[in-house]
Amino acid sequence: MPVHGRHPLHRRNPAHIGFWLIYVISVIFTFHTLLTAYNNSTYMEQFVNPAVIGALYSIGSALAVFSFLFISRVLRKVGNVRLTLWLAIIELLSLVALGLATDPRTAIIAFVVFLTLNPLLYLSIDIFSESLIGDNEDSTGSKRGLTLGLMSMAAVIAPLTMGYLVGDDSSNLPNTYFASAAVMTLFVLIIIARFDSFKDPEYKEIKVLQAIQSFWDNTDVRGVFLAHFLLQFFFAWMVIYFPLYLATEIMLPWDEIGAIIAVGLFAYVLFEYPIGIVADRWTGEKEMMAIGFVILAVASASISYMGAATVAGWMALMFVSRIGASLVEATTESYFFKHVDGSDANVMSFFRLTRPLANLIGALAGTITLLYLPFNLIFVILGLLMIPGIFITLTIKDTK
């Protein structure tokens, strides 16, 4: 039988869980994830052949996809608080194992575990968020925009911290995993101390095939799912191959790579919260989503022709590309969560499925593309793949 709302730590009134806690755990989660995200490929090269790294991303992502399809059943049995704690603790241990790894087996297992659990934790945060927002959908865009904006501030600091911890000596890369594990410990403590009174929504138990059919039949949700998938595909491609390109082809040191990434991510800090407010009050999401894809297509393809650019030039291009990404991310998040509530764990799981699914396909596509094209030209392919997003936005009905 479902046990949501019944574990022995339930003492405080659920109303005492302020939405500000969502901002806090979202920032912590983002910071811990991005401390290692941009150096994973380089770090794993000491344990496996570079050609295998894409396969490891694919395996972890495939396991995450499989887990997403059945997450509602687990939520009904244990509740979101317990599930979040289990996932967070296991992920924390995987980070420590990665930092301590001296042999390929330990590194591979720990890396795949991390890739599998990280997207599931994102879904857990979504459930907390939607349950606390409740029925007040007029504030969805601004609240999720502010959440994304604060997460983006953490995202800016994370690569700078990574660059500081590593410097110009790649032997310092394990330090990023220990730091990430320490940050995740804070996440666990907050969940234990502050979310004990969280009352789970009534998670809808739906057969997987029926849920997929229902999800796909909703034209608007399907459209925003595809748009969000393309965005996550862009993120996957950039996280795996962009820093590797700068490090191995352009030969930049890690402190400069960290600074380039940080400047690009600062665009999220400036734009995502205002975009959420604009989507709520004036224009809706459709137009801004389409403009975002135009920017992503042009900026991605431009990477291929930036080989002789200065660090400032790389920073500028990264910043522009993230303006496009912030437009797409804030609008797809706002649009989707205006169409679901906290009980729609199945639908939310499909939405968050875009991340591991994009990692799975992106890693494979990048590996295959590298077999036939020089490294710099794979970003032209990425730009071309962003163009369908412009037309996908035309299929959805705007919220304004």
Side-chain angles (χ1 to χ4, degrees):
M1 292 181 63
V3 296
H4 31 268
R6 292 190 179 182
H7 60 78
L9 292 178
H10 277 217
R11 295 185 296 271
R12 286 198 290 272
N13 188 314
H16 290 175
I17 304 178
F19 196 84
W20 65 272
L21 284 167
I22 299 299
Y23 300 141
V24 173
I25 63 173
S26 297
V27 166
I28 292 172
F29 177 76
T30 300
F31 184 70
H32 113 277
T33 299
L34 293 184
L35 268 175
T36 62
Y38 292 99
N39 59 254
N40 279 329
S41 298
T42 304
Y43 183 67
M44 291 302 295
E45 276 189 331
Q46 66 180 298
F47 299 107
V48 298
N49 187 290
V52 178
I53 294 175
L56 295 180
Y57 272 97
S58 298
I59 292 170
S61 300
L63 291 173
V65 168
F66 180 79
S67 300
F68 265 80
L69 297 178
F70 302 98
I71 194 69
S72 289
R73 297 182 184 180
V74 179
L75 285 166
R76 285 174 62 87
K77 291 181 178 179
V78 304
N80 196 41
V81 173
R82 285 180 176 174
L83 179 61
T84 303
L85 285 174
W86 292 348
L87 294 175
I89 291 171
I90 297 172
E91 185 181 287
L92 188 159
L93 294 175
S94 72
L95 287 166
V96 174
L98 269 169
L100 295 174
T102 58
D103 62 281
R105 173 182 286 186
T106 300
I108 289 171
I109 293 174
F111 187 54
V112 170
V113 168
F114 176 81
L115 292 175
T116 302
L117 300 187
N118 193 260
L120 299 177
L121 278 165
Y122 205 165
L123 173 63
S124 296
I125 295 173
D126 280 339
I127 294 172
F128 286 135
S129 175
E130 282 303 293
S131 296
L132 293 177
I133 288 176
D135 297 327
N136 185 16
E137 297 297 346
D138 289 339
S139 66
T140 295
S142 58
K143 283 186 175 179
R144 297 203 69 85
L146 179 56
T147 301
L148 291 170
L150 292 172
M151 291 168 69
S152 299
M153 292 180 66
V156 170
I157 298 171
L160 291 175
T161 305
M162 177 269 292
Y164 173 77
L165 292 172
V166 179
D168 58 1
D169 186 355
S170 60
S171 66
N172 292 324
L173 283 171
N175 294 339
T176 62
Y177 295 95
F178 298 136
S180 182
V183 174
M184 199 56 178
T185 301
L186 181 59
F187 180 94
V188 170
L189 293 175
I190 291 174
I191 296 297
I192 293 173
R194 302 293 304 187
F195 282 79
D196 54 308
S197 62
F198 177 75
K199 184 177 181 180
D200 289 274
E202 190 69 34
Y203 301 114
K204 298 175 182 178
E205 183 85 34
I206 306 175
K207 292 183 179 179
V208 173
L209 293 179
Q210 291 178 347
I212 294 174
Q213 184 66 49
S214 175
F215 181 86
W216 196 254
D217 286 344
N218 187 323
T219 304
D220 293 332
V221 174
R222 181 182 67 206
V224 78
F225 173 90
L226 293 173
H228 199 69
F229 170 80
L230 284 177
L231 175 67
Q232 294 301 321
F233 186 95
F234 168 83
F235 287 152
W237 198 296
M238 291 294 283
V239 166
I240 297 171
Y241 297 108
F242 181 67
L244 194 60
Y245 176 68
L246 293 182
T248 61
E249 298 290 320
I250 309 300
M251 304 301 292
L252 294 180
W254 275 102
D255 52 350
E256 291 184 359
I257 294 173
I260 290 168
I261 294 170
V263 169
L265 296 179
F266 191 67
Y268 297 122
V269 178
L270 296 179
F271 294 106
E272 286 199 316
Y273 182 47
I275 290 169
I277 294 176
V278 171
D280 276 347
R281 298 182 182 176
W282 294 295
T283 67
E285 293 82 10
K286 189 172 182 176
E287 296 83 0
M288 292 189 289
M289 199 182 301
I291 293 171
F293 275 113
V294 172
I295 296 173
L296 283 179
V298 175
S300 298
S302 298
I303 294 173
S304 298
Y305 306 100
M306 290 283 290
T310 63
V311 171
W314 282 110
M315 288 178 174
L317 181 60
M318 275 290 289
F319 187 82
V320 171
S321 72
R322 271 25 183 206
I323 292 176
S326 64
L327 282 165
V328 177
E329 184 173 48
T331 53
T332 54
E333 293 264 347
S334 173
Y335 189 93
F336 179 79
F337 285 99
K338 286 179 180 178
H339 290 74
V340 301
D341 57 41
S343 66
D344 294 323
N346 281 286
V347 179
M348 279 193 285
S349 69
F350 287 128
F351 188 66
R352 287 306 176 211
L353 187 70
T354 58
R355 185 181 176 193
L357 190 60
N359 284 339
L360 170 63
I361 298 175
L364 290 175
T367 300
I368 293 171
T369 305
L370 280 172
L371 293 175
Y372 299 98
L373 293 175
F375 205 152
N376 66 307
L377 292 183
I378 72 170
F379 297 102
V380 172
I381 303 301
L382 179 60
L384 293 173
L385 291 173
M386 293 299 104
I387 293 176
I390 302 170
F391 301 99
I392 289 172
T393 60
L394 301 178
T395 67
I396 65 175
K397 182 180 179 182
D398 213 348
T399 56
K400 292 290 183 182

